[in-house]
Each structure stands twice: as structure tokens, then as C-alpha cells.
């Protein structure tokens, strides 16, 4: 699913209005009907009071049109116009007059106004600011936000939480903290970034009929990755294939006390479908790997506790390196020697990334389209500090272009960056914030690359499968008890889930009179 900028959404609106021969007011009416249907399906006429706070632009117009539909169906509403400017949009004024025609008189809120009383059991509809906001709200509007938050009522935001920008991080406290956001046509990138995603607990997309041709053709910088996006990537197994068909993965890492990281990556590699997997570890890792993962082959360094000389006589299809490796001088030298003689793309994680950040000349030796999988601190060491999440993404794009590499920026919504494009993952959960899950991801991506997936495809698909595996296993463990090894056990079910038909949503039973 494409993630559009505010400007692109604006163009989509204009294109739709022109092509479908409708007015902007008619498009707004579509949005309002979708908002009403969403609420009505869940409330079924319940007389919980709904407080609608409407700005004076098109977002406010959506709120006023929603208020009209709610009133026509007998809901208990209160309507408030947040009068933050003397300018009013045309469609706002049209819907304001329609409200007045139905004898609904909004309360106009200005600086110094008394705020309406709202109880915890009631509902707030936030339609104050839309995606066109380009400056911080006035202090009195921020005070209104604080009043809404203090009520502890459920806050439903229209399109985007008010005060939130689409391309910048708001000042702390100057945006609505929404419980649920109903986003028109497409989600917003800000729903998925750490600094801005906190402003909405959940979101849902409402289809308002924007022109499909326009949406399909327009190029975007970011795409949301779900099942529909990864299914075309999937490579089915051929009947007359064998283990050699699916590549040879080579997992390099480990040091005394950190052999477990290599075990996790190696097993994930196997579970991904790699035909053969060989692990290269210090001597101390030989027995644990041979004992715990009989399906894998093991080569060892001459050193007992750390990597010093990575010598092998196999021809790997893909290499994953860095997990549990440490940064001893001999290990750094061993990695440099490997980079000098290896041309196939690699997956680099953990200490391999830290070695790169401390030895910048090695970046020039990376094979083209290698995959780097940093967590935020490792990313900062690679690309430098950033002022906010948007700056972070720009620095990541610059780094990717400069070194022709793929960055997998791990987080709640892992974002894969290659050159100027970003791919936002939709799977995963907080239970995966535990040691070893990153090692699993390294093995998973390495195994996919060994099977013939291109590095970018392997990264996008691997991140999706990794998160989906965690989501599936969560049902058995809960958040606190989900382990990296559980995620490995979920890889098979995650593959199977790709072809599981979605169950149609069950209709809620209307209340009995």
C-alpha cells in the first residue's frame, strides 16, 4: 500500500473531482458518510454523547458533515467550532449552513472560552486540523487539547490527529493523543515513526473513492508492506528440485559466551528454506552447534574464543556476518580480509555494523547491495545523529545511495531503505523486543538471499515473515514470554499464513429494542 505525502493526497482529491465530475463538497460528503457508517456500526444508536470538535478548514467540514448525519439518526451530539483563524474553507461554510438549516447551533470556541464538560464515558471526535497543517497550533488551542486529554474520554481523530504534521515532528504536547484515527484512503507515514506514531494508538483506512488510476500511477517514496505486497515476491518450490536448488547459506559469527546468537541465525536460515547452511564459529562453538542443530554444517576458526581467520572451501550463495562476533582486533582483521575477497552480497548485523562504523574505509569494500540491519543506536553510529525521525530517514537514504547498500532499520515498524525508497513493515509486536530476535532476522534474510531472492526482496520479505512469525507465536506465549526461538518456530506458520484466506468480518448484532 502506497504512503502518500500531503501534497499527493491533495492532487488525488483534485484529480478525482475533475475526472468523476463531482464537487469538492460531494467528495467531503463521501468522507462524512464513511465516518458515520464506521461509528454507527459500532454504536447502533447508543445515546452516549458524542462531542465533535471541528476546525474551520476541510477537516472541520468533515466533522460538521458527520455531525449532521449523526443528528439525522438520533445520536446525542455536541458540536464545537474551534475558531483558530478568520479564514474558513468553502466546504466548511457549506456544511456549517447545512447544520444551521437543521437547527443545530455549534458552540464557537475562541481564546478565553470556557471548555465544555466531557465525562470519561463520552466520545470525542477530533476534526480540528487536517493534513494541511504547517505551523504549531496557538497556545489556547493546545490548552483545548490538554482539556480533551484530561477528560479521559475516547478520542476518535478524523484523517490525522490534530496538531500532527505529515512531514515533521510536533513539539511535545502540541498534538492530540488519539485513541483511534480514521485515515482517508491511505494511512500516513507518521503513523509508523517512533516520534509520531505515539499520537494514535490504532488507525484504520476509510475508502472515500479517490481515483484508482491516479493512486496506481503516482510514484511514492514509502510503501506499507503487508501480505498483498509480499505474495508476488514469494518463490514457490519446484517439484523436481533438490537441496542444491535452494542455495548454501554461510553464517559467520560468535565468540566465547555468544555462540547462542549464531545458533539462532543458523536455525532461522534453515527455517527460511535455505537448501544448505554452514556456520563458521570459534572452536568453542563447535559442540553447541553440532549438538543443537544437526541439520547445519559447522566450520571453525583456529582460535578457541574468537574469530581470527575466516577460511573456508565452500561456495556460499549468501553470507550473514556479525552476530555475537565481538570487536577484537583479530576479528576486525578477519572481517576485512573476508571483504577483500568476497563479491556476493552479504547481510551484516550487530558487531559487523559496529566494526564498519569504527573502520569507515571498510564501507567501500562492501559488495554491492549488501544488507545492513541496524537497531537505532547502530544506525546512529553509521549515519550520524539526527534531529528527528524524518531527518533519520533522509540520512539513511543518503547512506544507502553512497554505499549502494540496503538498510533495514529495526523498530516497531521496521523500515527497509534502498536508495530513495522506503518500505514500512506492518507485522511484529512489542513481545519481539527481546534478545536474539535480531539474530533471527539476520538468518532469515540470509536464507532468502541464498534461495535466489534479490537482496531488496529478501529484506522486505524477511522482515515481513519475521514479524508475522512473532505475531502468530504471540497467541501461545503472550508479550513477556515471547522468545527469539519462538519466532523461529513461527517461520513455518508464517509461510503457511501467506496462503490462508482471510475470514470475512462478522457483522455485529444490532441491539434489541
Amino acid at each position: 500500500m502506497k504512503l502518500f505525502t500531503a501534497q499527493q493526497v491533495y492532487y488525488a482529491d483534485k484529480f478525482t473531482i475533475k475526472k468523476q465530475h463531482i464537487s469538492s463538497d460531494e467528495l467531503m460528503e463521501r468522507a462524512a458518510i464513511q465516518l458515520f457508517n464506521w461509528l454507527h456500526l459500532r454504536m447502533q444508536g447508543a445515546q452516549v454523547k458524542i462531542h465533535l470538535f471541528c476546525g474551520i478548514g476541510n477537516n472541520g467540514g468533515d466533522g460538521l458533515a458527520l455531525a449532521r448525519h449523526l443528528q439525522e439518526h438520533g445520536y446525542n451530539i455536541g458540536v464545537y467550532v474551534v475558531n483558530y483563524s478568520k479564514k474558513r474553507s468553502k466546504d466548511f461554510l457549506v456544511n456549517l449552513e447545512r447544520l444551521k438549516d437543521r437547527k443545530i447551533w455549534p458552540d464557537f470556541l475562541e481564546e478565553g472560552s470556557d471548555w465544555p464538560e466531557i465525562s470519561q464515558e463520552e466520545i470525542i471526535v477530533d476534526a480540528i486540523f487536517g493534513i494541511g497543517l504547517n505551523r504549531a497550533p496557538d497556545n489556547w488551542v493546545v490548552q483545548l487539547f490538554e482539556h480533551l486529554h484530561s477528560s479521559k474520554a475516547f478520542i476518535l481523530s478524523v484523517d490525522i490527529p490534530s496538531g500532527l504534521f505529515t512531514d515533521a515532528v510536533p513539539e511535545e504536547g502540541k498534538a492530540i493523543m488519539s485513541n483511534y484515527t480514521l485515515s482517508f484512503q491511505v494511512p500516513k507515514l507518521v503513523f509508523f515513526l517512533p516520534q509520531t506514531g505515539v499520537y494514535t494508538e490504532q488507525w484504520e483506512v476509510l475508502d472515500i473513492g479517490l481515483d484508482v488510476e491516479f493512486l496506481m500511477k503516482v510514484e511514492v517514496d514509502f510503501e506499507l508492506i503487508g501480505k498483498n505486497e509480499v505474495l508476488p515476491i514469494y518463490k514457490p518450490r519446484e517439484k523436481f528440485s533438490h537441496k542444491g536448488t535452494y542455495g548454501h547459506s554461510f553464517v559467520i559469527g560468535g565468540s566465547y559466551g555468544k555462540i547462542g546468537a549464531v545458533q539462532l541465525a543458523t536455525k532461522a536460515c534453515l527455517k527460511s528454506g535455505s537448501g544448505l547452511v554452514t556456520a563458521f564459529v570459534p572452536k568453542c562453538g563447535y559442540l553447541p552447534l553440532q549438538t543443537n542443530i544437526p541439520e547445519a554444517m559447522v566450520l571453525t576458526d583456529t582460535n578457541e574464543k574468537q574469530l581470527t581467520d575466516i577460511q573456508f572451501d565452500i561456495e556460499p550463495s549468501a553470507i550473514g556476518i556479525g552476530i555475537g562476533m565481538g570487536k577484537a582486533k583479530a576479528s576486525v582483521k578477519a572481517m576485512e580480509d573476508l571483504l577483500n575477497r568476497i563479491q556476493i552480497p552479504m547481510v551484516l548485523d550487530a558487531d559487523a555494523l559496529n566494526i564498519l562504523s569504527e573502520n569507515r574505509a571498510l564501507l567501500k569494500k562492501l559488495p554491492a547491495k549488501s544488507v545492513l540491519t541496524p537497531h537505532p543506536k547502530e544506525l546512529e553510529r553509521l549515519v550520524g545523529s539526527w534531529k528527528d525521525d524524518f531527518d533519520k530517514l533522509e540520512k539513511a537514504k543518503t547512506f544507502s545511495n553512497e554505499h549502494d547498500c540496503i538498510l533495514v532499520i529495526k523498530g516497531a515498524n521496521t523500515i527497509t531503505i534502498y536508495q530513495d525508497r522506503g518500505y514500512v513493515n506492518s507485522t511484529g509486536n512489542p513481545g519481539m523486543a527481546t534478545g536474539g530476535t535480531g539474530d533471527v532476522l539476520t538468518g532469515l534474510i540470509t536464507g532468502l538471499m541464498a534461495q535466489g531472492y534479490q537482496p531488496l526482496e529478501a529484506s522486505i520479505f524477511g522482515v515481513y515473515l519475521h514479524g508475522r512469525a512473532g505475531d502468530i507465536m504471540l497467541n501461545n506465549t503472550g508479550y513477556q514470554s515471547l522468545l527469539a526461538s519462538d519466532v523461529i518456530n513461527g517461520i513455518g506458520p508464517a509461510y503457511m499464513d501467506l496462503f490462508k484466506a482471510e475470514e470475512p468480518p462478522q457483522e455485529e448484532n444490532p441491539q434489541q429494542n
Side-chain angles (χ1 to χ4, degrees), residues 57-268:
N58 284 351
N59 195 252
D62 294 327
L64 295 178
L66 171 61
R68 170 166 40 85
H69 289 290
L70 289 169
Q71 189 266 349
E72 289 173 351
H73 286 78
Y75 283 95
N76 180 16
I77 65 172
V79 186
Y80 315 92
V81 173
V82 183
N83 216 9
Y84 55 79
S85 171
K86 293 181 180 179
K87 296 181 180 179
R88 288 156 174 71
S89 77
K90 179 188 70 173
D91 291 329
F92 166 84
L93 292 172
V94 167
N95 281 287
L96 180 62
E97 288 305 312
R98 288 175 180 167
L99 269 188
K100 291 179 178 178
D101 289 344
R102 289 159 177 77
K103 309 303 180 187
I104 305 173
W105 307 102
D107 290 333
F108 283 77
L109 302 178
E110 299 177 341
E111 187 171 8
S113 295
D114 292 329
W115 308 135
E117 291 186 11
I118 305 171
S119 73
Q120 186 173 348
E121 295 76 24
E122 295 171 338
I123 295 172
I124 294 168
V125 173
D126 156 37
I128 302 172
F129 298 114
I131 60 174
L133 185 69
N134 55 20
R135 65 177 182 85
D138 293 336
N139 288 335
W140 72 269
V141 178
V142 174
Q143 291 168 8
L144 173 61
F145 293 172
E146 292 169 353
H147 173 70
L148 301 184
H149 294 151
S150 66
S151 73
K152 294 184 170 30
F154 181 86
I155 299 178
L156 177 69
S157 290
V158 174
D159 203 26
I160 191 170
S162 289
L164 197 58
F165 307 104
T166 58
D167 58 358
V169 177
E171 294 180 44
E172 186 175 354
K174 293 194 174 182
I176 290 284
M177 300 291 288
S178 177
N179 298 103
Y180 214 103
T181 299
L182 297 176
S183 183
F184 295 142
Q185 204 67 47
V186 291
K188 313 297 186 282
L189 176 62
V190 289
F191 297 167
F192 309 103
L193 303 181
Q195 291 179 305
T196 53
V198 294
Y199 287 94
T200 185
E201 293 177 9
Q202 291 181 279
W203 58 269
E204 189 173 327
V205 168
L206 297 182
D207 186 351
I208 61 171
L210 295 184
D211 185 78
V212 174
E213 179 187 3
F214 179 91
L215 299 177
M216 291 293 290
K217 286 185 176 181
V218 69
E219 292 291 328
V220 296
D221 290 340
F222 291 91
E223 186 175 354
L224 182 65
I225 302 300
K227 183 187 290 190
N228 290 337
E229 286 72 31
V230 299
L231 268 173
I233 297 175
Y234 172 77
K235 295 178 182 292
R237 293 241 162 172
E238 299 294 335
K239 180 177 180 179
F240 296 102
S241 59
H242 53 85
K243 62 186 179 183
T245 308
Y246 302 109
H248 193 160
S249 300
F250 194 35
V251 180
I252 303 169
S255 56
Y256 185 79
K258 295 181 180 178
I259 298 300
V262 184
Q263 292 190 61
L264 290 168
T266 301
K267 194 163 187 180

Side-chain angles (χ1 to χ4, degrees), residues 47-69:
Q47 288 302 295
V48 176
K49 188 167 186 179
I50 304 172
H51 300 266
L52 296 103
F53 290 85
C54 306
I56 54 178
N58 284 351
N59 195 252
D62 294 327
L64 295 178
L66 171 61
R68 170 166 40 85
H69 289 290

Side-chain angles (χ1 to χ4, degrees), residues 412 425-430 432 464 466-468 470-471:
N425 188 51
S426 63
T427 59
N429 62 78
M432 298 176 72
Y464 174 87
H466 181 254
R468 190 69 189 111
D471 291 341

Side-chain angles (χ1 to χ4, degrees), residues 23-37:
S23 66
S24 58
D25 168 56
E26 288 175 295
L27 186 59
M28 182 173 287
E29 191 67 11
R30 285 185 192 175
I33 290 172
Q34 289 285 52
L35 291 167
F36 169 77
N37 289 340

Side-chain angles (χ1 to χ4, degrees), residues 296-403:
M297 296 172 284
V298 184
L299 298 175
T300 67
D301 198 291
T302 55
N303 191 282
E304 179 71 24
K305 293 187 176 182
Q306 64 191 30
L307 298 179
T308 60
D309 188 18
I310 306 170
Q311 296 295 331
F312 52 92
D313 58 2
I314 63 173
E315 294 185 8
S317 310
I319 296 175
I321 185 170
I323 52 271
M325 180 175 167
K327 299 188 296 177
K329 286 185 178 180
S331 300
V332 175
K333 180 65 166 56
M335 179 171 149
E336 181 177 5
D337 290 343
L338 179 69
L339 289 173
N340 284 334
R341 65 181 195 271
I342 289 294
Q343 299 300 318
I344 61 173
M346 306 170 69
V347 183
L348 298 99
D349 186 26
D351 287 318
L353 299 177
N354 295 325
I355 289 170
L356 288 177
S357 65
E358 294 172 11
N359 302 268
R360 310 292 293 189
L362 296 183
L363 287 167
K364 296 180 180 179
K365 300 184 179 185
L366 286 178
K369 296 180 176 58
S370 287
V371 180
L372 282 60
T373 63
H375 60 55
K377 202 63 185 176
E378 291 166 344
L379 179 67
E380 185 179 5
R381 296 185 190 115
L382 286 170
V383 306
S385 59
W386 50 79
K387 64 179 181 181
D388 59 31
D389 284 338
F390 293 94
D391 187 39
K392 173 180 70 178
L393 293 175
E394 288 305 311
K395 287 181 180 293
K397 288 178 180 180
T398 300
F399 184 92
S400 174
N401 276 291
E402 183 178 351
H403 301 290

